[in-house]
Amino acid sequence: MRDSIQQGLSGVLLDWYNRHAREMPWRVGPADRAAGVMPDPYRVWLSEVMLQQTTVAAVRDYFTRFTARWPTVQALAAAPDDQVMGEWAGLGYYARARNLLKCARAVTDEHGGTFPNTYDALLKLPGIGPYTAAAISAIAFDRPETVLDGNVERVMARLYDIQDPLPGSKPLLKDKAAALTPVTRPGDYAQAVMDLGATICTPKSPACGICPVRDPCQARAAGTQPDLPRKAPKKPKPTRYGHVYIAQSDSGALLLERRPDKGLLGGMLGWPGSDWSDAPNASPPFEADWQMLAGEVRHTFTHFHLILRIWTASLPAESVPEGLIVLEKHAFRPGDLPTVMRKAHDLWRDR
Ligand code: SF4
């Protein structure tokens, strides 16, 4: 039997979405959808991969640049790896960019350049996990999949006043979200709940007074909405340390490395350096009178904080070790570096 929240909720949310849908460069708005326009699965997929762990505001410019440069999945599949990694620089979580290329090539080579339209087939593609498969299936193909991102989790926890903390409460939140997903306009509905969470049912100060589902909302009735969703306490992040070595020739050329494909910042350009650990060994790429710069670079990854010390030396022509890259001044773009390496560059440049 449908509960009091399920009754009519999707219709109310869809009405609200018709009037208040956010405009996004990858989205086909409700009026166009009603007129029969379907979203381009390539653009939906690209936006969803970019939005993993990243805000809409940060993604907009990247999305616009990517789609101007590579307007189709085939164009992206044919792009050289280093150009794609360079365009991705600054978005973080670089495994996503490597999987993006693998997925574009799989869609092109194994699916004739057309994204599969079911959850199960999407899930088999590189870099597409359960959330992204559900999102693409719902948004691009209008299938009634349950899309559970942070916004939807928050809305569900509040609608049903669920006090169990995340991440343990995820299965329950997913059940609630699944029970609310309608068979008509499921793609618009998925985006409606996300928009509600992003614009009205926000983490700190939900605007319950103007919320279209305020009447059935159980947390609002109980006054618990600012505390939800509860979260299990996180373990403190450890701090690791490392060294990087920036060498420059008389002509301004710089010594860089392409990081191994596997691991953090995989496939990205960076400065040669040590491991990142409690007590890293100094490991300069060649013998020289290395000088340590004053100051340090601090950066936080998902699972640890990193503190880097920077060493500098001049780069004689005969000193280039095998496997490293010398980039002439005109070919070097700091924007191609991942953020932590760019921070090291900026500190070095400013000294
Ligand atoms: S009434 Fe308030 S807490 Fe409930 S869904 Fe709306 S904004 Fe969120």
Side-chain angles (χ1 to χ4, degrees):
M1 208 174 79
R2 288 163 71 79
D3 65 33
S4 60
I5 293 176
Q6 286 164 11
Q7 284 165 18
L9 184 132
S10 63
V12 170
L13 264 183
L14 283 166
D15 282 349
W16 174 82
Y17 181 72
N18 288 344
R19 286 174 279 121
H20 298 288
R22 289 179 293 171
E23 282 188 16
M24 302 202 237
W26 48 85
R27 176 177 277 178
V28 172
D32 285 337
R33 275 294 292 114
V37 180
M38 287 299 284
D40 177 353
Y42 168 62
R43 294 168 71 86
V44 174
W45 162 74
L46 184 62
S47 67
E48 286 299 335
V49 175
M50 287 183 165
L51 286 164
Q52 292 165 8
Q53 320 276 350
T54 311
T55 62
V56 167
V59 163
R60 277 180 194 274
D61 287 351
Y62 281 88
F63 180 86
T64 304
R65 276 205 308 276
F66 259 72
T67 48
R69 193 163 177 183
W70 301 297
T72 63
V73 70
Q74 289 95 334
L76 182 62
D81 290 30
D82 57 347
Q83 287 185 13
V84 175
M85 300 309 282
E87 283 289 5
W88 193 275
L91 259 184
Y93 300 93
Y94 296 96
R96 288 184 298 167
R98 294 195 303 281
N99 280 326
L100 191 79
L101 266 172
K102 280 190 204 152
C103 185
R105 289 169 185 160
V107 169
T108 301
D109 298 342
E110 295 160 26
H111 297 272
T114 303
F115 274 85
N117 63 7
T118 63
Y119 174 88
D120 289 340
L122 286 161
L123 199 55
K124 292 196 178 105
L125 290 168
I128 297 191
Y131 165 77
T132 308
I136 298 171
S137 184
I139 297 170
F141 300 110
D142 215 17
R143 288 178 175 265
E145 298 292 349
T146 305
V147 185
L148 194 74
D149 70 353
N151 286 319
V152 181
E153 284 172 355
R154 187 168 58 256
V155 172
M156 291 305 131
R158 288 172 174 173
L159 274 176
Y160 286 94
D161 195 24
I162 290 170
Q163 300 291 326
D164 301 351
L166 284 166
S169 58
K170 265 178 197 280
L172 176 58
L173 296 173
K174 187 161 189 187
D175 285 351
K176 296 294 187 192
L180 292 177
T181 301
V183 287
T184 50
R185 300 179 64 194
D188 279 352
Y189 172 79
Q191 295 173 93
V193 188
M194 288 188 219
D195 279 15
L196 186 79
T199 63
I200 303 261
C201 193
T202 52
K204 292 221 170 80
S205 324
C208 302
I210 56 167
C211 176
V213 293
R214 62 187 174 276
D215 287 344
C217 178
Q218 293 177 359
R220 177 176 172 266
T224 53
Q225 67 275 47
D227 306 325
L228 299 179
R230 295 191 189 282
K231 292 186 180 147
K234 281 189 184 157
K235 284 193 202 137
K237 286 184 188 183
T239 298
R240 295 186 194 163
Y241 302 85
H243 302 280
V244 292
Y245 299 89
I246 303 185
Q248 188 172 39
S249 73
D250 290 345
S251 67
L254 288 161
L255 184 69
L256 290 132
E257 68 172 6
R258 173 85 49 202
R259 295 178 63 85
D261 273 351
K262 292 235 178 307
L264 261 180
L265 313 181
M268 299 297 291
L269 271 183
W271 308 109
S274 69
D275 59 324
W276 298 343
S277 60
D278 288 347
N281 290 317
S283 51
F286 60 89
E287 292 287 327
D289 182 20
W290 290 96
Q291 302 292 318
M292 189 166 73
L293 293 183
E296 60 196 20
V297 167
R298 288 173 176 261
H299 190 75
T300 296
F301 291 99
T302 315
H303 299 299
F304 64 95
H305 302 292
L306 177 66
I307 297 179
L308 289 178
R309 300 310 306 258
I310 300 168
W311 299 78
T312 177
S314 56
L315 175 68
E318 67 278 9
S319 296
V320 178
E322 219 174 295
L324 297 187
I325 301 165
V326 175
L327 273 186
E328 293 300 334
K329 205 172 174 183
H330 64 86
F332 173 71
R333 295 190 310 170
D336 286 350
L337 299 174
T339 306
V340 63
M341 296 294 172
R342 201 164 65 243
K343 286 182 185 173
H345 167 267
D346 293 351
L347 186 70
W348 166 79
R349 181 199 57 201
D350 295 346
R351 304 274 160 183

